[in-house]
Amino acid sequence: MQDTFQPIAPRSVPGASGGVIAWFKNNLFSNPVNSIMTVIMLAAVLFTLSQATSWSLTHAVFGADLEACNSARGIGACWGVIAEKGRLILLGLYPQEEQWRPVVATSLMLGVVALSCMPAFWNKSLLIMWPTMLVVYFTLMKGGVLGLVEVSTDQWGGLPLTVMLTVIAMTLAFPLAIMVALGRRSNMPAIRTLCTLYVELIRGVPLITILFMASFMLPLFMPSGTNIDVLIRVVVGITLFSAAYMAEVVRGGLQALPKGQTEAAATLGLTFWQTQRKIVMPQALTTVVPSLMNTFIGMFKDTSLVTIVSLYDLTGAVGLALNSDADWRPFKMEGLFFIAAIYFAFCFAMSRYSLWVEKRTAVSKSR
């Protein structure tokens, strides 16, 4: 007997398995406990945001009005301290009538760094831009020529000093790190031992100790009458410290490279340095881009330690500007938030550029 087809009653549409609502349901409101915790955390976040907005915007004082700032103390932020002390925070002790010079010099340095990050300028033009930029930078900052008033290095400070220390130390430390990384993999025991001792010695000592020794102890071992500028000693100390950490990052990239790459280069008759320049280094460095950028970011923030040797970078300039003024000293927190925003802007830009380089190298590897 043949069965007769009987249609079933229509069913309701099933709940959405994707989308924002489904994600919230599966991850934040999947059970009663998760739902309660989500509500509590959401209430805490909203309360914190409302308090932060009230302090930083709603009840804040934006003008350089000391009386208004004192009245709003504990209720709202006094951003007027930035208007009042911003010049000293950003430029340090540099003479006020000459402060156009560090502004121009720092803008030039950052401009050349930005151009160096663009593939269109990855050619021999960099060999002209960088020496020219450095000559112009130190001519403007130091003065003493072309009718410029001479300004000693102990008056350099603020953002120009932070940027200069980072850029110079980064530029010098990177090639040194490559040479040390190659030395640690050398077949010559003397070179390998020397590079290993350098890395282990530097990594075993805090940066603040190296800066202290370079600034105060090194002159004791110099011949009588010999005086090396403290800024040069600080740059050398930061460079040696950063190069040791960077060398280990580069060595990790070298060890990650298959041995067949160098063997193939040898069969083609390439010399050691040709192999390193054309085969090994391009692949090894692209492998460790995130770690290298992490080292650069750490170096940028570590420049704040130069305050220990009486060089007032961006962080030291805040204390210099506010600790010496009893009227504005209570609003040091706002000054610290201000420089924190500057540090974050630079670090975030470096991080974004690192991601761009990673994506660019990933495309080249997939071809």
Side-chain angles (χ1 to χ4, degrees), residues 277-309:
R277 183 169 62 89
K278 298 181 178 181
I279 307 297
V280 176
M281 279 302 165
Q283 298 182 74
L285 294 180
T286 55
T287 303
V288 295
V289 166
S291 299
L292 283 176
M293 187 55 65
N294 188 55
T295 305
F296 292 156
I297 292 175
M299 185 192 307
F300 175 68
K301 293 184 292 184
D302 284 344
T303 56
S304 60
L305 295 175
V306 300
T307 307
I308 193 66
V309 294

Side-chain angles (χ1 to χ4, degrees), residues 108 112 116 124-139 168 171:
L108 176 63
V112 172
S116 302
K124 294 181 180 179
S125 62
L126 292 178
L127 300 178
I128 300 175
M129 285 194 298
W130 273 86
T132 303
M133 178 271 291
L134 292 175
V135 170
V136 174
Y137 179 89
F138 286 105
T139 299
I168 300 298
T171 305

Side-chain angles (χ1 to χ4, degrees), residues 119-325:
F121 292 91
W122 292 351
N123 49 50
K124 294 181 180 179
S125 62
L126 292 178
L127 300 178
I128 300 175
M129 285 194 298
W130 273 86
T132 303
M133 178 271 291
L134 292 175
V135 170
V136 174
Y137 179 89
F138 286 105
T139 299
L140 286 173
M141 292 294 293
K142 183 68 174 176
V145 295
L146 302 177
L148 298 174
V149 178
E150 184 173 357
V151 180
S152 60
T153 56
D154 58 354
Q155 292 181 284
W156 299 11
L159 184 61
L161 181 62
T162 297
V163 171
M164 186 273 291
L165 290 175
T166 303
V167 172
I168 300 298
M170 189 185 303
T171 305
L172 296 177
F174 186 61
L176 177 60
I178 292 177
M179 299 304 296
V180 172
L182 291 174
R184 290 207 64 179
R185 291 169 51 85
S186 174
N187 294 325
M188 302 179 184
I191 294 179
R192 186 172 63 251
T193 302
L194 183 63
C195 292
T196 301
L197 287 175
Y198 161 70
V199 171
E200 298 302 331
L201 178 63
I202 295 296
R203 291 199 305 169
V205 180
L207 176 58
I208 195 170
T209 303
I210 294 177
L211 293 176
F212 184 84
M213 293 178 63
S215 300
F216 299 111
M217 297 188 64
L218 181 62
L220 300 178
F221 298 94
M222 301 296 294
S224 178
T226 303
N227 182 30
I228 302 177
D229 193 282
V230 64
L231 184 62
I232 297 177
R233 284 177 270 160
V234 166
V235 169
V236 172
I238 295 176
T239 299
L240 294 176
F241 183 83
S242 302
Y245 283 86
M246 208 179 300
E248 290 300 278
V249 173
V250 175
R251 188 167 71 93
L254 294 174
Q255 290 181 298
L257 199 65
K259 190 177 181 180
Q261 297 285 324
T262 56
E263 293 175 346
T267 60
L268 294 175
L270 297 180
T271 64
F272 173 81
W273 292 112
Q274 287 177 328
T275 302
Q276 298 302 321
R277 183 169 62 89
K278 298 181 178 181
I279 307 297
V280 176
M281 279 302 165
Q283 298 182 74
L285 294 180
T286 55
T287 303
V288 295
V289 166
S291 299
L292 283 176
M293 187 55 65
N294 188 55
T295 305
F296 292 156
I297 292 175
M299 185 192 307
F300 175 68
K301 293 184 292 184
D302 284 344
T303 56
S304 60
L305 295 175
V306 300
T307 307
I308 193 66
V309 294
S310 300
L311 288 177
Y312 296 99
D313 72 314
L314 193 58
T315 303
V318 174
L320 183 68
L322 299 178
N323 290 341
S324 58
D325 192 334

Side-chain angles (χ1 to χ4, degrees), residues 56-134:
S56 61
L57 296 175
T58 307
H59 297 97
V61 177
F62 293 92
D65 187 341
L66 183 59
E67 184 178 352
C69 286
N70 285 323
S71 300
R73 190 187 302 182
I75 302 174
C78 175
W79 301 119
V81 69
I82 307 303
E84 178 70 21
K85 299 292 185 179
R87 186 187 295 268
L88 185 57
I89 293 174
L90 290 176
L91 300 175
L93 294 174
Y94 210 89
Q96 185 171 350
E97 62 277 5
E98 301 291 333
Q99 287 182 349
W100 64 270
R101 287 158 52 181
V103 173
V104 173
T106 305
S107 300
L108 176 63
M109 178 173 282
L110 291 176
V112 172
V113 171
L115 291 177
S116 302
C117 295
M118 300 179 184
F121 292 91
W122 292 351
N123 49 50
K124 294 181 180 179
S125 62
L126 292 178
L127 300 178
I128 300 175
M129 285 194 298
W130 273 86
T132 303
M133 178 271 291
L134 292 175

